[in-house]
């Protein structure tokens, strides 16, 4: 941002997060490299736009400090590099730097400030959560170990407390208190999951599902390799 308070014009930065969405993302320090690459771009833009203006020295320094802070925090905790990258983008955006919304190599000045991520509706969150739970039930062993039984009970219990929708978590907790999860076998857990799902659906005016056909409704995860989807601790056949 210049001393007049106007955003810098013509600053084109390659989108940060696509860098971390490539095959490189599988490497441990790919997110860190993405932050460093992005920081390099920002520094280059700042130097070219502000370097020759003494009155903009404070702006340039504040941007450099933001980059240095993000890089330092990322080196200290590489596992949090994506979080630091997002904070860096938000910080720079608040200072008036604009990021390109267009893909790398596009022409023109189609620039826009970075926007916060879209919110998630309760319905979207619910569908995603039920998909996770039903998939887990499908892949739950026929003869689970004591640890696997404990893990599933713990997961269900935790959801009653930290599920992002407070009223949903409380309602789920009431259901579980009346009908605790049956973790004795895979089929038993599938039936329990279907049963409590129906209770939730009925409470919000949605249709219920015939649990006799639960195995035809929810399938296992397609992992592509033998044993790749097995739960930890499952015995190999």
């Amino acid at each position: 941002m210049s001393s007049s308070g106007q955003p810098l014009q013509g600053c084109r930065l390659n989108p940060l997060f696509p860098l971390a969405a490539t095959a490189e993302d599988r490497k441990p320090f790919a997110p860190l490299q993405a932050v460093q690459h992005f920081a390099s771009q920002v520094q280059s833009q700042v130097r070219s736009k502000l370097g020759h203006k003494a009155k903009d020295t404070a702006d340039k320094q504040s941007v450099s400090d933001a980059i240095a802070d993000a890089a330092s925090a990322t080196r200290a905790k590489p596992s949090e590099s994506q979080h630091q990258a997002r904070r860096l983008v938000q910080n720079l955006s608040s200072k008036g730097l604009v990021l390109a919304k267009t893909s790398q190599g596009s022409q023109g000045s189609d620039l826009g400030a970075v926007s916060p991520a879209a919110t998630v509706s309760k319905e979207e969150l619910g569908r995603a959560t039920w998909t996770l739970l039903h998939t887990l039930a499908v892949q739950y062993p026929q003869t689970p170990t004591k640890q696997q039984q404990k893990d599933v009970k713990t997961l269900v219990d935790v959801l009653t407390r930290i599920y992002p929708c407070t009223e949903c978590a409380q309602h789920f907790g009431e259901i579980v208190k009346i009908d605790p999860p049956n973790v004795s076998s895979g089929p038993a857990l599938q039936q329990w999951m279907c049963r409590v799902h129906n209770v939730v659906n009925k409470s919000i005016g949605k249709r219920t599902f015939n649990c006799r056909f639960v195995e035809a409704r929810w399938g296992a995860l397609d992992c592509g390799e033998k044993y790749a989807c097995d739960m930890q601790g499952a015995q190999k056949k």
Side-chain angles (χ1 to χ4, degrees):
M1 180 178 287
S2 67
S3 59
S4 63
Q6 297 298 319
L8 297 175
Q9 300 299 317
C11 292
R12 178 172 297 280
L13 305 176
N14 295 331
L16 170 62
F17 296 108
L19 291 173
T22 64
E24 292 295 313
D25 193 36
R26 290 190 292 269
K27 297 182 179 180
F29 288 91
L32 171 59
Q33 293 167 352
V35 174
Q36 293 173 329
H37 182 79
F38 181 73
S40 177
Q41 293 181 60
V42 174
Q43 288 174 323
S44 177
Q45 293 289 353
V46 170
R47 281 194 292 269
S48 65
K49 294 296 178 182
L50 302 180
H52 63 289
K53 298 181 180 180
K55 61 182 179 181
D56 289 326
T57 300
D59 287 341
K60 178 181 177 182
Q61 185 60 45
S62 65
V63 171
S64 297
D65 289 344
I67 295 170
D69 290 344
S72 177
T74 302
R75 292 191 189 95
K77 293 185 177 181
S79 62
E80 297 183 7
S81 55
Q82 287 289 7
H83 173 66
Q84 293 299 336
R86 291 184 183 279
R87 289 190 59 185
L88 173 61
V89 171
Q90 293 169 353
N91 198 344
L92 294 176
S93 179
S94 69
K95 296 178 187 302
L97 282 174
V98 289
L99 308 180
K101 288 184 177 180
T102 53
S103 60
Q104 184 175 357
S106 60
Q107 300 298 319
S109 57
D110 180 20
L111 304 177
V114 172
S115 300
T119 57
V120 178
S121 69
K122 289 195 293 186
E123 291 75 16
E124 292 172 323
L125 178 62
R127 284 193 294 270
T129 304
W130 283 119
T131 297
L132 168 65
L133 293 175
H134 283 294
T135 303
L136 183 152
V138 171
Q139 295 176 200
Y140 191 68
Q142 175 66 40
T143 307
T145 65
K146 289 184 178 180
Q147 183 62 51
Q148 289 168 337
Q149 295 180 47
K150 179 181 177 181
D151 289 343
V152 172
K153 288 181 179 180
T154 299
L155 172 61
V156 172
D157 181 54
V158 167
L159 285 176
T160 68
R161 296 194 302 275
I162 68 168
Y163 189 73
C165 167
T166 303
E167 62 177 339
C168 307
Q170 291 175 343
H171 183 220
F172 189 58
E174 294 170 359
I175 296 172
V176 171
K177 187 175 181 179
I178 297 173
D179 185 5
N182 187 337
V183 297
S184 60
S185 69
L189 182 59
Q190 290 181 61
Q191 287 297 314
W192 177 85
M193 202 70 72
C194 180
R195 190 164 61 249
V196 296
H197 193 169
N198 277 342
V199 174
V200 172
N201 279 351
K202 188 174 181 179
S203 71
I204 58 178
K206 296 181 66 175
R207 292 183 300 175
T208 57
F209 184 79
N210 189 334
C211 292
R212 289 186 300 170
F213 305 105
V214 64
E215 292 184 359
R217 172 63 179 84
W218 288 283
L221 182 66
D222 181 10
C223 291
E225 297 181 11
K226 190 176 182 180
Y227 305 133
C229 288
D230 284 354
M231 279 190 175
Q232 184 175 352
Q235 296 181 354
K236 304 295 187 293
K237 297 180 180 179

